[in-house]
Amino acid sequence: MIAPRRFLPSTGALMAFEAVARLGSATAAAQELSLTQSGVSRQLRSLEDQIGAKLVQREGRALVLTPVGREYARSVREILHRLAAASVAARTNPDGGALNLAILPAFGMHWLAPRLQDFARTHPEVTVNLSTRLAPFDFRASRFDAAIHFGREDWSGADHMALMPETVVPVCAPDLLHHATTAQIAAQPLLHLETRPKGWARWMAAQGWTGDLPPGMQFDQFSTMAQAAIHGMGVALLPTFVAQPYLDSGQLALASAQTSESIGTYYLVWPSERATQAPLRSFRAWLTAQTGNGPHQ
């Protein structure tokens, strides 16, 4: 929620204050703003009354900023510049702007990033800004327009668009195993991801394995688990889009050719109130073309 109205001075008052702070004179500020000197003075008094602080004081014929006024002037100047820039952008590029997207590291690096050049080519009017977030958050308290989410359609207060299920394959160092049996894989250390604690149990069950599973190291990200597998520390279950570059380079090999779908799906999620923003609409349409899926309310 934006601050209460009593803390939001008018643009006119802020512009009058910024001009006086920069020029040191109500007369000069009035000339720049095409106002009267008394009009500028009234705006200053109104601003000081509204925020409850003395911003300027007279020294001879000059108006000098108080310590509070100097700090406030810096903030006001930045805000006015940003407001002007946003207004120009809205006028010159009504269908574009920035899309602030929260991503999961592995999905962002291995699936989204290689495809973003196509989005940039087809939508040059949109700038996509990426930041990593590992868990759901409150959109109302963030700057994000949308996020990549893994699991189920359970992000509170958000609309969901399914992108793809997570299909996983077992991989390891080439000299460890290659197209092994399930029993041979079960005899090796198994590498686990913290957010997929039942991943190996589900994969083994899909192969008909009913025996016990050996303990193994746990990781918080696929990238570090992949590095552990490359260095021969065990067998890792990786999503196909994460595993493929390592398989292509020969750093990893398939421990088994069998695959299985994981326990969740990747989604694009966004707050309902931002659904009509032009950059987000363009990004959703592009993702629909990439995945063949559409949004769910």
Side-chain angles (χ1 to χ4, degrees), residues 169-190:
V169 291
V171 295
C172 60
D175 59 354
L176 186 65
L177 292 173
H178 184 63
H179 286 193
T181 65
T182 303
Q184 289 172 321
I185 293 174
Q188 297 292 327
L190 303 182

Side-chain angles (χ1 to χ4, degrees), residues 157-292:
D159 293 338
H160 295 65
M161 172 178 162
L163 300 177
M164 66 182 72
E166 184 183 77
T167 303
V168 295
V169 291
V171 295
C172 60
D175 59 354
L176 186 65
L177 292 173
H178 184 63
H179 286 193
T181 65
T182 303
Q184 289 172 321
I185 293 174
Q188 297 292 327
L190 303 182
L191 308 181
H192 302 266
L193 195 71
E194 289 179 357
T195 57
R196 316 285 197 277
K198 297 182 179 179
W200 270 116
R202 290 171 62 89
W203 188 88
M204 287 291 192
Q207 316 313 314
W209 179 260
T210 58
D212 295 331
L213 295 179
M217 299 174 64
Q218 279 198 345
F219 301 84
D220 66 346
Q221 293 192 31
F222 283 121
S223 58
T224 50
M225 188 164 68
Q227 289 300 313
I230 288 172
H231 292 286
M233 299 182 71
V235 186
L237 274 181
L238 296 180
T240 51
F241 61 80
V242 175
Q244 198 59 53
Y246 298 112
L247 296 173
D248 292 342
S249 68
Q251 293 176 285
L252 289 175
L254 286 173
S256 168
Q258 300 300 316
T259 64
S260 68
E261 288 192 2
S262 185
I263 58 174
T265 297
Y266 289 97
Y267 295 90
L268 178 74
V269 299
W270 63 91
S272 300
E273 62 270 18
R274 300 185 196 176
T276 59
Q277 291 181 351
L280 180 56
R281 289 203 315 269
S282 297
F283 192 67
R284 291 204 311 267
W286 175 77
L287 281 176
T288 297
Q290 293 287 316
T291 64

Side-chain angles (χ1 to χ4, degrees), residues 80-99:
L80 290 175
H81 280 309
R82 290 174 58 188
L83 180 59
S87 299
V88 170
R91 177 170 180 160
T92 59
N93 191 15
D95 295 324
L99 176 69

